[in-house]
C-alpha cells in the first residue's frame, strides 16, 4: 500500500466563512468537524459539520460532492453514522473537506447566494440534539502518558522505579467495552462492585467510593486491514480519520482489587464519554509538533520520523450539583510518549484487523506539573490532598451530582480548531 500522507500545508488561516464565526469559537472554517445530529421534533439522524454556532446538514448538500472520489459515494452523507465516510479513505476525506470549505467560504457564491438551500442545510446548534457519531465496533484504551504511568507507579509500586519493564518498549493498552461508550451529555450512575479497602479483611460489595475521571483523547480508525496483515508504521496515518475528547470514567477501588493479573475490567466498563464532534486529521495537521524523544529507541516496526504529536490544549473542570464548574487541570496532548501511529502499528502487528469506526483511547494525559495531571487520583495524590472547587467545595474523588467537562482546542492565528465539550454527570448508584 502506498502512503497518501499529505505534505504539511498552510492552514488557510486567512480563509473566512460567510457565516459569522467568533475568533474564540471551536468551530472555524479551518476546523469543520463531523458529527451526527437530529433536529428538534425529529427522530431522523443526519451527518453534519459544525461551523460557528451552526450545523451544515450534509444530507441536504450531498449532490454537490461531485469530485472523482465522492461522486459515486454521495450516499455516505445520508447515513446515520460516519462509518461509511470513514471507510472511503484519505483521498475521499480530503476531497470532502475541500468541498465543504468551498461551500462555506466567503469567496464562493454557490451556498452564500442561495437562500432556499441555506434554509434547508444550515441549522442552529442550539436547536439540535447530538448523537453518537460512529457505530463503534471495538474500543481499545492505551496507557501512553509517561507522566501518568510514572505517577501511578510511584503511588502503588516503587517511586524510584515507577515504570514496569515493558513500558518504554511498547504502547501498553487493553481492550475496553464498546457498548458503554456514550456521547457527551449522557449521565452515568456510580457503579457497584467488589472492593477490598482493608487488605486484612475479605472483600466487600457495594457502590464504588473512589470515582474518578480520566482526561483522554481518542482517534477513530478509517479503512481497516485484512486479518493477518498488519498496518505498517509508514502507512498508519492513512487509517486514522480524526479525534475526539474522551473521559474514561474509573472506579479506582474496584480497579485496584481486580486489575492483577489481567488489567482493568469492571473498574472501567461502567462508561466512557466522548465528545460528539470528530475533528479530522487534516484539520489538526498544521498543529503537528515534534515527537517526544524515546529512549531506548523502539523496535523498527514502531519507528517513524514524521511529526505525529499535536499541540492540543486540554482542560478538565468539575461542577458540583447546581454550581459552576471549576477548572482543576490543564494539560496538552503533545505530552504523550507514544504517538497514534505507534499505537495503531503496535495494535495490528499481530495481524489483528481493525475496522472503520474502531475507537482508540490515548490513556490519561498528564504533564510534569501537578496542575497538569489528568485524573483525580493524581490531583489528590491517592486521596491525600484536597482539590479546591471554590465556594468551600473540595474533592479527593468525585461526588454524586458532579459534572465533569473536558475541553480542548488548537490555537491558530486568529482562529481555533476545537472539539467542543465532553461532559457527563455522575448520578447516585441505582438500588440493587
Amino acid at each position: 500500500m502506498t502512503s497518501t500522507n499529505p505534505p504539511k500545508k498552510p492552514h488557510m488561516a486567512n480563509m473566512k466563512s460567510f457565516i459569522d464565526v467568533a475568533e474564540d469559537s471551536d468551530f472555524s472554517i479551518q476546523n469543520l468537524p463531523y458529527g451526527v445530529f437530529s433536529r428538534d421534533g425529529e427522530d431522523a439522524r443526519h451527518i453534519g459539520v459544525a461551523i460557528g454556532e451552526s450545523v451544515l446538514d450534509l444530507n441536504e448538500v450531498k449532490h454537490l460532492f461531485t469530485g472523482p472520489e465522492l461522486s459515486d459515494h454521495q450516499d455516505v452523507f445520508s447515513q446515520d453514522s460516519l462509518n461509511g465516510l470513514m471507510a472511503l479513505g484519505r483521498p475521499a476525506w480530503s476531497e470532502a473537506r475541500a468541498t465543504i470549505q468551498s461551500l462555506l467560504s466567503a469567496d464562493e457564491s454557490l451556498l452564500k447566494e442561495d437562500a432556499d438551500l441555506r434554509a434547508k442545510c444550515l441549522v442552529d446548534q442550539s436547536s439540535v440534539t447530538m448523537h453518537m457519531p460512529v457505530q463503534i465496533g471495538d474500543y481499545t484504551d492505551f496507557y501512553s502518558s509517561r507522566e501518568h504511568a510514572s505517577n501511578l507507579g510511584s503511588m502503588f509500586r516503587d517511586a524510584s522505579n515507577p515504570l514496569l519493564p515493558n513500558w518504554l518498549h511498547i504502547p501498553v493498552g487493553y481492550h475496553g467495552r464498546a457498548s458503554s461508550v456514550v456521547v457527551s451529555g449522557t449521565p452515568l450512575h456510580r457503579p457497584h462492585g467488589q472492593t477490598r479497602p482493608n487488605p486484612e479483611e475479605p472483600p466487600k460489595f457495594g457502590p464504588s467510593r473512589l470515582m474518578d475521571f480520566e482526561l483522554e483523547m481518542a482517534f477513530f480508525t478509517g479503512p481497516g486491514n485484512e486479518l493477518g496483515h498488519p498496518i505498517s508504521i509508514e502507512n498508519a496515518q492513512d487509517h486514522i480519520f480524526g479525534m475526539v475528547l474522551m473521559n474514561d470514567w474509573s472506579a479506582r477501588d474496584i480497579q485496584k482489587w481486580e486489575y492483577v493479573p489481567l488489567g482493568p475490567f469492571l473498574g472501567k466498563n461502567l462508561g466512557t464519554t466522548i465528545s460528539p464532534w470528530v475533528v479530522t486529521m487534516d484539520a489538526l495537521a498544521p498543529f503537528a509538533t515534534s515527537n517526544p524523544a524515546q529512549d531506548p529507541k523502539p523496535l523498527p516496526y514502531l519507528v517513524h520520523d514524521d511529526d505525529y504529536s499535536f499541540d492540543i490544549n486540554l482542560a478538565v473542570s468539575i461542577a458540583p450539583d447546581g454550581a459552576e464548574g471549576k477548572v482543576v487541570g490543564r494539560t496538552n496532548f503533545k505530552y504523550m510518549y507514544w504517538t497514534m501511529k505507534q499505537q495503531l502499528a503496535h495494535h495490528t502487528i499481530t495481524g489483528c484487523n481493525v475496522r472503520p469506526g474502531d475507537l482508540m483511547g490515548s490513556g490519561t494525559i498528564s504533564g510534569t506539573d501537578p496542575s497538569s495531571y489528568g485524573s483525580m487520583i493524581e490531583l489528590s495524590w491517592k486521596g491525600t490532598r484536597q482539590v479546591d472547587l471554590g465556594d468551600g467545595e473540595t474533592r479527593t474523588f468525585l461526588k454524586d451530582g458532579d459534572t465533569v467537562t473536558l475541553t480542548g482546542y488548537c490555537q491558530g492565528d486568529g482562529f481555533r480548531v476545537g472539539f467542543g465539550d465532553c461532559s457527563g454527570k455522575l448520578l447516585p448508584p441505582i438500588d440493587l
Side-chain angles (χ1 to χ4, degrees):
M1 179 178 178
T2 301
S3 172
T4 57
N5 192 32
K8 189 181 293 188
K9 299 180 291 187
H11 206 290
M12 301 183 180
N14 295 325
M15 178 179 283
K16 301 293 183 184
S17 174
F18 67 85
I19 296 172
D20 290 334
V21 179
E23 191 169 302
D24 62 352
S25 169
D26 278 350
F27 307 127
S28 61
I29 195 170
Q30 289 83 6
N31 188 356
L32 304 178
Y34 292 96
V36 171
F37 72 96
S38 59
R39 300 174 186 239
D40 276 352
E42 297 182 8
D43 294 328
R45 299 185 180 188
H46 301 260
I47 293 176
V49 163
I51 177 71
E53 297 181 1
S54 300
V55 180
L56 175 66
D57 187 338
L58 296 186
N59 183 56
E60 297 291 346
V61 295
K62 64 181 181 181
H63 60 285
L64 301 177
F65 290 85
T66 57
E69 298 294 332
L70 290 168
S71 59
D72 292 333
H73 299 286
Q74 295 172 351
D75 62 300
V76 298
F77 300 113
S78 297
Q79 298 175 9
D80 60 2
S81 77
L82 294 172
N83 296 67
L85 176 62
M86 290 173 165
L88 294 181
R90 181 170 296 280
W93 307 339
S94 297
E95 185 177 289
R97 176 175 171 81
T99 299
I100 296 166
Q101 280 190 322
S102 177
L103 287 173
L104 295 172
S105 172
D107 297 328
E108 299 292 337
S109 61
L110 180 61
L111 185 55
K112 180 173 67 172
E113 297 181 4
D114 189 333
D116 290 340
L117 183 56
R118 288 201 314 275
K120 291 179 180 179
C121 71
L122 290 171
V123 192
D124 289 340
Q125 284 192 37
S126 61
S127 68
V128 306
T129 299
M130 300 304 298
H131 302 281
M132 281 292 293
V134 177
Q135 294 177 6
I136 302 171
D138 287 292
Y139 158 48
T140 299
D141 197 22
F142 287 93
Y143 187 52
S144 291
S145 163
R146 182 171 186 168
E147 289 75 18
H148 175 69
S150 296
N151 286 339
L152 266 62
S154 296
M155 290 180 203
F156 295 108
R157 290 187 298 274
D158 180 1
S160 65
N161 188 28
L163 296 177
L164 290 171
N166 62 357
W167 201 92
L168 293 172
H169 296 273
I170 61 173
V172 174
Y174 70 95
H175 295 294
R177 182 72 184 173
S179 65
S180 55
V181 179
V182 298
V183 73
S184 177
T186 305
L188 292 167
H189 288 275
R190 183 182 294 269
H192 293 80
Q194 281 194 36
T195 63
R196 195 180 186 187
N198 187 337
E200 304 302 320
E201 298 178 1
K204 301 178 182 296
F205 178 82
S208 169
R209 298 171 297 105
L210 306 179
M211 278 300 296
D212 202 351
F213 63 81
E214 289 190 336
L215 171 52
E216 300 193 27
M217 299 197 72
F219 68 87
F220 281 110
T221 55
N225 57 305
E226 184 181 350
L227 181 65
H229 296 263
I231 294 173
S232 72
I233 194 77
E234 293 81 11
N235 297 320
Q237 68 282 339
D238 297 334
H239 297 264
I240 299 175
F241 177 79
M243 299 184 70
V244 291
L245 302 171
M246 190 176 97
N247 177 5
D248 194 29
W249 301 83
S250 300
R252 297 297 185 189
D253 45 354
I254 296 174
Q255 180 183 358
K256 181 181 179 182
W257 172 231
E258 73 180 0
Y259 85 102
V260 177
L262 293 181
F265 185 30
L266 304 185
K268 296 286 192 173
N269 72 1
L270 62 120
T272 300
T273 305
I274 64 169
S275 51
W277 296 107
V278 184
V279 178
T280 66
M281 301 314 297
D282 280 345
L284 294 171
F287 302 99
T289 187
S290 299
N291 302 324
Q294 294 183 326
D295 183 20
K297 186 176 181 178
L299 293 173
Y301 79 97
L302 290 172
V303 173
H304 67 96
D305 296 325
D306 54 318
D307 292 338
Y308 215 74
S309 294
F310 295 88
D311 185 3
I312 305 173
N313 301 293
L314 300 168
V316 56
S317 66
I318 300 173
D321 198 15
E324 293 293 318
K326 168 75 178 296
V327 173
V328 295
R330 298 184 187 274
T331 187
N332 196 294
F333 186 69
K334 67 185 178 183
Y335 297 145
M336 301 304 290
Y337 186 85
W338 295 102
T339 70
M340 292 179 285
K341 290 183 60 165
Q342 290 174 317
Q343 290 169 341
L344 187 56
H346 183 65
H347 195 302
T348 65
I349 194 61
T350 58
C352 172
N353 55 319
V354 298
R355 294 169 291 188
D358 283 355
L359 182 68
M360 307 280 179
S362 64
T364 304
I365 304 166
S366 294
T368 56
D369 185 88
S371 65
S372 65
Y373 292 165
S375 64
M376 288 299 289
I377 196 170
E378 294 171 277
L379 290 165
S380 72
W381 205 255
K382 204 170 59 170
T384 62
R385 305 169 186 165
Q386 295 291 328
V387 178
D388 181 25
L389 300 185
D391 297 326
E393 288 272 3
T394 61
R395 295 286 186 276
T396 52
F397 290 91
L398 298 174
K399 291 185 177 181
D400 295 343
D402 286 349
T403 296
V404 177
T405 301
L406 314 183
T407 57
Y409 67 90
C410 305
Q411 184 61 57
D413 184 8
F415 67 90
R416 284 184 175 181
V417 170
F419 292 79
D421 290 351
C422 176
S423 184
K425 186 173 185 175
L426 181 63
L427 300 180
I430 63 172
D431 293 329
L432 297 180

